């Protein structure tokens, strides 16, 4: 019963509101550990990854409450230094608790994080960066312990520009002694949101939004109320949906300032986009154009998280499109599923896909095995003639609050058959009240 059913083949019309950002809220939740006070976060999406993070925080002694889109974190009495269990194994983002716990307690024992199968993503980059701050790592089967007798600022230049490494260094550095200079820092909007949250809480961080961050550690942090920005990847998902089907939609609260590369790709493929103060209007017909080459890159380039979504939309474009993946080595896993629906896609090694546009896709049973690929299969189902069933809905729920509701708002005949309710819906707001 872990599936989504779609009767596709029609253009999209309507409007939907964009949820809070998954990639922003998770590191900010981790950052709340650094603050021995109460923090209130607004516009938090009700997704399973947030649920898992809240369970991890609760497990180490935080008092956690939720009412609607607002989460309250009281981290005054953190009592544990071990982070493990199924919530770690099921979520790659749990790795950011490494820097947060080192900053708060100077020590943490963690299980190795899990998550989507889209590449190796070794944690060595994280560990090597933190070693420069005086952290020692002790590994044993299934877990590792990170410990710093004295966490100290340092000059750190990771060999790869990594969002996760940037987040972990920031989280450790704000409580370290002295100044940390982080070179080759990631510039994603979610990094900016994390820095702004910490700065509002009293941290001193310079260079926000650039490739060099200067963090003056040791400043007293205090509780803060902060609003999570809207999710640029979710907005891009529905944009790609209308690019694939044709139609006219409005995306309320779409963070257009963060979406330049995605908007550019949509325009090159034939869509018309109109930016307003309230969001984004997208119009497209069914005669979309192929894209000669789209290459995923670090921000502000085309996001790797959008690659499979664009691929789905281009399966019926007129001509030949090429997508090159430069970030992860295993992110074309969706190709075989799209081929089942009639797509004509050729893989050239692990890094390049050639999409030969076909007249139409046909609905069938397909299987999601990671978050964004699952959302891309939903887009393909919206485009396809007949019924599409997307199995493994739980992957999609890691990042989309209610993808069926949002596509229903855009006129799609889409529904789920729940054998059990979504993980976030299992608990009532009353049970989740701040306690």
């Amino acid at each position: 019963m872990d599936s989504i059913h779609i009767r596709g083949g029609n253009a999209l019309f309507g409007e939907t509101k964009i949820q809070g950002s998954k990639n922003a809220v998770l590191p900010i939740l981790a950052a709340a550990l650094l603050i021995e006070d109460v923090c209130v976060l607004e516009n938090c999406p009700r997704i399973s990854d947030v649920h898992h993070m809240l369970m991890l925080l609760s497990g180490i002694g935080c008092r956690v409450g939720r009412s609607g889109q607002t989460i309250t974190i009281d981290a005054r009495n953190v009592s544990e230094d071990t982070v493990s269990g199924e919530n770690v194994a099921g979520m790659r983002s749990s790795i950011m608790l490494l820097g947060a716990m080192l900053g708060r307690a100077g020590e943490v024992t963690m299980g190795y994080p899990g998550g989507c199968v889209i590449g190796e993503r070794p944690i060595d980059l994280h560990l090597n960066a933190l070693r420069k701050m005086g952290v020692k790592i002790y590994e044993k089967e299934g877990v590792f312990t990170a410990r710093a007798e004295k966490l100290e600022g340092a000059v750190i230049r990771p060999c790869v520009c990594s969002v996760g490494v940037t987040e972990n260094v920031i989280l450790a550095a704000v409580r370290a002694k002295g100044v940390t200079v982080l070179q080759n820092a990631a510039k994603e909007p979610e990094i900016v949101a994390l820095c702004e949250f910490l700065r509002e809480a009293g941290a001193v961080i310079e260079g926000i939004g650039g490739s060099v961050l200067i963090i003056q550690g040791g400043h007293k942090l205090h509780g803060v109320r902060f609003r999570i920005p809207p999710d640029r990847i979710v907005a891009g998902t529905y944009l790609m949906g209308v690019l694939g089907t044709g139609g006219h939609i409005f995306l309320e609260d779409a963070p257009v300032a963060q979406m330049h590369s995605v908007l550019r790709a949509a325009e090159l493929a034939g869509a018309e986009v109109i930016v307003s103060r309230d969001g984004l209007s997208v119009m497209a017909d069914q005669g979309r154009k192929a894209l000669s080459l789209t290459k995923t890159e670090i921000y502000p380039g085309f996001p790797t998280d959008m690659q499979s979504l664009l691929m789905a939309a281009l399966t019926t474009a007129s001509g030949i499109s090429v997508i090159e993946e430069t970030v992860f080595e295993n992110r074309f896993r969706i190709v075989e599923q799209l081929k089942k629906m009639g797509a004509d896609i050729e893989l050239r090694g692990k890094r390049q896909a050639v999409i030969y546009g076909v007249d139409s896709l046909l609905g069938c049973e397909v299987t999601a095995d990671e978050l964004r690929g699952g959302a891309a299969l939903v887009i393909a189902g919206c485009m396809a003639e007949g019924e599409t069933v997307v199995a493994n809905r739980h992957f999609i729920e890691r990042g989309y609050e209610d993808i069926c509701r949002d596509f229903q708002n855009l006129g799609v005949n889409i529904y789920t058959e729940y054998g059990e309710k979504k993980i976030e819906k299992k608990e009532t707001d009353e049970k989740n009240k701040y306690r």
Side-chain angles (χ1 to χ4, degrees), residues 360-389:
S360 62
L361 300 179
L362 297 176
C364 66
E365 293 187 5
V366 290
T367 302
D369 60 9
E370 49 98 359
L371 168 56
R372 305 303 175 186
L377 292 174
V378 173
I379 289 175
C382 293
M383 297 165 59
E385 300 291 338
E387 183 173 8
T388 298
V389 179

Side-chain angles (χ1 to χ4, degrees), residues 22-169:
K22 164 188 178 289
N23 291 336
V25 70
L26 294 174
I28 289 172
L29 284 170
L33 267 177
L34 300 171
I35 302 169
E36 297 179 46
D37 202 347
V38 178
C39 291
V40 179
L41 304 179
E42 301 173 342
N43 198 37
C44 299
R46 297 186 73 94
I47 56 178
S48 61
D49 268 15
V50 168
H51 172 81
H52 291 311
M53 182 63 83
L54 294 180
M55 293 302 100
L56 288 171
L57 293 175
S58 180
I60 57 180
C62 293
R63 297 174 67 193
V64 176
R66 176 159 205 164
S67 179
Q69 308 302 118
T70 300
I71 291 174
T72 304
I73 305 289
D74 181 350
R76 287 176 289 188
N77 295 300
V78 171
S79 56
E80 296 289 336
D81 59 13
T82 299
V83 181
S84 62
E86 63 180 18
N87 291 307
V88 172
M91 186 178 65
R92 175 71 190 184
S93 301
S94 61
I95 189 63
M96 64 191 64
L97 290 173
L98 172 60
M101 284 295 291
L102 284 169
R104 175 62 185 266
E107 180 176 344
V108 61
T109 297
M110 294 189 67
Y112 289 95
C116 289
V117 185
I118 58 174
E120 294 182 1
R121 301 200 290 188
I123 67 168
D124 288 353
L125 292 173
H126 301 255
L127 302 182
N128 290 338
L130 292 168
R131 283 187 176 104
K132 294 183 182 295
M133 302 178 72
V135 177
K136 297 185 182 300
I137 309 297
Y138 308 90
E139 299 185 69
K140 57 184 179 180
E141 186 176 355
V143 299
F144 66 93
T145 297
R147 183 181 300 125
E149 291 185 8
K150 184 185 293 184
L151 199 61
E152 296 187 342
V155 177
I156 302 172
R157 183 179 179 85
C159 60
V160 174
C161 183
S162 162
V163 171
V165 172
T166 299
E167 290 167 343
N168 259 326
V169 170

Side-chain angles (χ1 to χ4, degrees), residues 206-272:
E206 300 176 26
I208 297 175
S211 59
V212 178
L213 294 173
I214 302 172
I215 303 128
Q216 297 181 21
H219 290 267
K220 178 70 174 177
L221 303 181
H222 55 77
V224 66
R225 178 179 288 268
F226 188 84
R227 184 171 181 81
I228 303 300
D231 196 310
R232 61 192 175 104
I233 304 303
V234 170
T237 299
Y238 304 136
L239 184 154
M240 291 302 163
V242 74
L243 181 65
T245 64
H248 182 188
I249 65 173
F250 181 74
L251 302 176
E252 182 183 351
D253 286 348
V256 292
Q258 305 171 6
M259 298 175 64
H260 292 304
S261 62
V262 174
L263 298 182
R264 178 61 176 160
E267 289 176 324
L268 290 173
E272 180 181 354

